[in-house]
Amino acid sequence: MNRFFETAQHASLYAQARPDYPDALFQKIFDYMGTSRMPPRGAALDVACGTGMSTRRLAAYFERVVGTDISENMVKEARSVENPHNVTFEVDDASSFPVEDESLDLVTIANGAHWLDKERFYAETVRTLTPNGVLAMYGYGRPRLSCPQQPGSTVFDEFSEMIDFFMNKPSWPPATADCFDKYRNYELPFPEWIRSAAQQPRGV
């Protein structure tokens, strides 16, 4: 288990600067589950929830949503804002989900699967999902810039080079390569799974 973003200052900055996830991403998950046009159902668990950005997006589709994170300060930050009435947050290291067997319709993990012990995470996912439950893993890829109005712009080229330099810095923990590679080499413990195309970030 990797430990990052532990302090209260980290959690506060994380909440302010973390890019949100696009509506199309969640719509694809709910379409796959068949919940888009149904009343709220069952329960969902958002693992490695950070400050709850992804967790809150599930509230309208489930009767109960739990977000868990190993960092106490992340959980404190998540609890510090006004949350939907059916959303709660707990400190948990993802090795033993704080829910009963076969009690979850959906397990999500946003930009966090590469930090976990995958075998323990998968085992807990299998234990807690209902027979028709779904695991959704998603995260950020490498940023790509597009500026059709100003092709060949010096400022644009310099900014692109700066992003490439930042993304290729050797100081990145090795595990982040899995996320940037869209978890292509992850073997999921399920007979059926799909890989979705990239989605636009919200507001872009």
Side-chain angles (χ1 to χ4, degrees):
M1 170 66 67
N2 292 277
R3 304 292 296 266
F4 298 95
F5 314 116
E6 290 288 339
T7 70
Q9 182 181 24
H10 281 144
S12 177
L13 292 172
Y14 185 105
Q16 295 174 46
R18 193 75 164 181
D20 203 349
Y21 298 96
D23 294 334
L25 167 66
F26 294 95
Q27 191 61 54
K28 188 174 289 290
I29 294 171
F30 301 140
D31 285 346
Y32 181 78
M33 296 183 68
T35 60
S36 293
R37 297 176 180 84
M38 294 175 60
R41 58 182 287 187
L45 176 71
D46 186 32
V47 178
C49 69
T51 57
M53 181 183 300
S54 177
T55 318
R56 298 181 190 96
R57 302 291 295 281
L58 306 176
Y61 294 88
F62 296 91
E63 295 175 355
R64 179 186 177 218
V65 180
V66 179
T68 64
D69 200 276
I70 194 172
S71 167
E72 291 186 18
N73 281 309
M74 283 289 189
V75 171
K76 287 180 181 178
E77 186 71 29
R79 290 171 175 166
S80 71
V81 302
E82 184 176 355
N83 286 293
H85 69 91
N86 57 335
V87 172
T88 59
F89 295 96
E90 298 186 27
V91 177
D92 184 79
D93 67 359
S95 65
S96 180
F97 297 169
V99 295
E100 300 296 324
D101 294 357
E102 296 189 2
S103 62
L104 300 172
D105 293 290
L106 175 67
V107 173
T108 60
I109 182 163
N111 216 66
H114 50 291
W115 301 128
L116 304 182
D117 180 323
K118 290 191 290 295
E119 297 308 315
R120 294 172 73 177
F121 170 69
Y122 291 156
E124 279 297 281
T125 300
V126 170
R127 177 184 72 81
T128 57
L129 280 177
T130 61
N132 293 316
V134 171
L135 166 65
M137 298 166 53
Y138 43 94
Y140 309 123
R142 292 179 179 271
R144 294 289 182 268
L145 296 180
S146 176
C147 187
Q149 290 81 14
Q150 294 181 308
S153 165
T154 301
V155 173
F156 175 77
D157 290 342
E158 290 178 353
F159 191 51
S160 297
E161 290 176 5
M162 181 179 67
I163 288 181
D164 288 341
F165 172 78
F166 175 73
M167 297 303 295
N168 290 306
K169 288 178 67 173
S171 57
W172 280 100
T176 57
D178 293 341
C179 181
F180 295 153
D181 197 39
K182 303 176 182 178
Y183 304 120
R184 295 182 192 279
N185 295 322
Y186 280 35
E187 296 183 6
L188 301 179
F190 302 102
E192 178 185 347
W193 56 272
I194 61 172
R195 179 179 294 280
S196 175
Q199 304 289 341
Q200 281 284 333
R202 298 183 80 195
V204 175

